[in-house]
């Protein structure tokens, strides 16, 4: 069997010391780009694989990062995790997923364990967008989707106001003139912010008041009935989530209203299982959660490298137009 290449073999081929080769491969030390490239090429030529345990011991790092989440369903943390791992895996960092299930005691247990494991940093996320209290750990931390209440922390969130405004701009652009809004609980930041943005962007085209309820298809069906009784001449219904929009579409079809010929319907979140199964497929706002995860991971890597950022980074959402507003092509 061919003997596995060692760091001393890489160093000999590159014409440097073993210590210099180690620094080059670990991206540490004050080395010239030419030296780092020469060592990297030598490692590739020999098929050298770094010993992660040795690298961790020499650098004082564990090359692991934790994703701490309250989203047990995975609806939001799965795409965020994909984005985080896109960035971290490129740097050969492993990700540990910790689901707190919205339990403060469970969260504290995880934090003690993560500090004891000496993880390099933590990304904190969840299923709500309300700002949350910061966690108290001696580690770099970045907050994703929900900002920290401490303005000195690094947070990455979605521009919900911009996303909801883009929906109304789209509806007005296709000639809709009487727009209503159905959403979730009034005490949820995302519901309230999206409702405010829709009403403000629609202006005189907004009819009635936003209907607040629950995040469910059942409430979408009920809300459709309420709107049709109160505003029989409406021609568009914007919804604070895709689940609501699917319920609205189902009920409109049951009472003989064609979507979008009679009434255009829009969702929010661009959740594939909902938007693609809806009849017709839903125009929706994509939160671009994978990109949010990538940006959060990038900020965490900066902090781990000694260059922490501060404040809130707000990323744009993206409107995805489908048959529920455009009709069949």
């Amino acid at each position: 069997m061919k003997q596995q290449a060692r760091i001393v073999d890489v160093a000999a081929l590159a014409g440097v010391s073993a210590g210099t080769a180690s620094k080059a491969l670990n991206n540490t030390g004050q080395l010239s780009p030419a030296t780092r490239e020469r060592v990297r090429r030598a490692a590739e030529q020999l098929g050298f694989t770094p010993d992660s345990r040795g690298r961790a011991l020499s650098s004082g790092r564990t090359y692991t990062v934790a994703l701490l989440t309250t989203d047990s369903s995975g609806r939001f943390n799965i795409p965020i995790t994909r984005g985080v791992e896109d960035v971290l895996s490129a740097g050969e960092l492993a990700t540990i997923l910790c689901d707190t299930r919205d339990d403060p005691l469970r969260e504290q247990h995880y934090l003690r364990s993560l500090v004891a494991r000496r993880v390099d940093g933590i990304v904190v996320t969840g299923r709500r967008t309300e700002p949350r209290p910061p966690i108290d750990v001696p580690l770099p931390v970045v907050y994703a989707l929900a900002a920290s209440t401490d303005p000195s922390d690094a947070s990455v969130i979605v521009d919900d106001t911009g996303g909801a405004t883009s929906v109304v701009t789209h509806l007005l652009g296709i000639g809709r003139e009487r727009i209503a809004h159905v959403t979730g609980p009034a005490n949820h930041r995302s519901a309230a912010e999206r409702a405010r943005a829709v009403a403000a962007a629609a202006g005189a085209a907004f009819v009635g008041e936003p209907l607040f309820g629950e995040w469910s298809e059942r409430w979408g069906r009920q809300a459709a009935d309420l709107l049709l009784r109160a505003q029989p001449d409406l021609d568009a219904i914007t919804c604070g989530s895709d689940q609501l929009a699917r319920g609205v579409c189902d009920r409109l079809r049951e009472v003989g209203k064609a979507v979008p010929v009679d009434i255009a319907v829009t969702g929010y979140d661009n959740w594939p299982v909902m938007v693609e199964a809806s009849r017709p497929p839903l125009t929706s706002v994509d939160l671009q959660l994978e990109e949010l995860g990538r940006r959060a991971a990038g900020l965490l890597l900066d902090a781990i490298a000694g260059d922490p950022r501060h404040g809130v980074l707000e990323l744009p959402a993206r409107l995805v137009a489908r048959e529920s507003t455009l009709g069949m092509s």
Side-chain angles (χ1 to χ4, degrees):
M1 293 178 61
K2 184 179 179 180
Q3 185 177 5
Q4 184 176 356
R6 300 168 299 165
I7 189 70
V8 292
D9 301 321
V10 175
L13 182 58
V16 298
S17 69
T20 296
S22 178
K23 290 177 182 178
L25 294 174
N26 291 326
N27 200 30
T28 59
Q30 301 297 317
L31 304 178
S32 70
T35 298
R36 292 188 192 278
E37 178 63 15
R38 192 164 72 252
V39 171
R40 187 187 65 79
R41 289 183 179 275
E44 287 183 354
Q45 183 176 335
L46 294 173
F48 173 73
T49 303
D51 181 344
S52 60
R53 292 172 298 174
R55 180 173 64 161
L57 288 171
S58 63
S59 66
R61 290 177 53 186
T62 59
Y63 290 87
T64 56
V65 165
L67 184 73
L68 188 74
T69 180
T70 62
D71 179 23
S72 299
S73 70
R75 164 67 190 94
F76 298 100
N77 77 50
I78 288 176
I80 290 174
T81 300
R82 284 199 296 263
V84 167
E85 290 187 331
D86 281 349
V87 173
L88 298 184
S89 63
E92 299 181 348
L93 277 74
T95 306
I96 302 171
L97 179 62
C98 302
D99 177 12
T100 70
R101 305 179 191 175
D102 251 345
D103 181 347
L105 293 178
R106 194 178 182 89
E107 179 174 286
Q108 289 305 310
H109 164 74
Y110 273 128
L111 292 177
R112 288 192 297 270
S113 176
L114 294 171
V115 170
R117 286 172 176 262
R118 298 174 57 243
V119 299
D120 293 334
I122 301 174
V123 174
V124 179
T125 188
R127 65 177 184 273
R128 298 275 296 274
T129 63
E130 279 76 12
R132 58 153 293 158
I135 61 174
D136 183 16
V137 291
L139 300 167
V141 178
V142 173
Y143 299 82
L145 194 61
S148 167
T149 53
D150 185 343
S152 67
D153 287 331
S155 303
V156 187
I157 65 173
V158 178
D159 178 10
D160 263 336
T161 295
T165 299
S166 70
V167 168
V168 175
T169 300
H170 170 68
L171 291 172
L172 295 175
I174 60 174
R176 303 296 163 153
E177 299 177 340
R178 295 182 60 76
I179 301 170
H181 187 68
V182 176
T183 193
N187 63 344
H188 282 208
R189 178 181 178 272
S190 57
E193 188 168 340
R194 293 167 191 177
R196 281 195 299 269
V198 167
F206 192 71
V207 297
E209 296 291 332
L211 294 184
F212 292 97
E214 59 184 30
W215 302 114
S216 70
E217 292 180 58
R218 180 180 65 177
W219 168 234
R221 291 191 293 271
Q222 293 171 341
D225 283 335
L226 293 173
L227 286 173
L228 290 174
R229 284 198 293 269
Q231 308 291 342
D233 58 348
L234 63 83
D235 60 11
I237 301 175
T238 61
C239 300
S241 78
D242 295 326
Q243 283 179 289
L244 290 168
R246 184 171 171 178
V248 166
C249 286
D250 286 349
R251 185 57 183 154
L252 291 178
R253 184 171 60 253
E254 290 169 358
V255 299
K257 295 288 186 180
V259 178
V261 177
D262 298 322
I263 301 176
V265 178
T266 66
Y268 208 103
D269 294 337
N270 201 36
W271 188 6
V273 71
M274 284 290 163
V275 296
E276 295 168 6
S278 179
R279 298 170 55 195
L282 291 170
T283 290
S284 186
V285 175
D286 194 326
L287 302 180
Q288 304 199 90
L289 295 176
E290 289 193 27
E291 176 60 19
L292 185 144
R294 285 190 284 270
R295 297 296 289 272
L299 291 177
L300 188 64
L301 288 179
D302 288 342
I304 291 170
D307 183 23
R309 309 303 169 90
H310 307 282
V312 177
L313 173 62
E314 195 170 49
L315 302 183
R318 178 175 63 95
L319 181 72
V320 181
R322 296 188 180 90
E323 287 90 332
S324 70
T325 60
L326 298 179
M328 301 298 292
S329 58

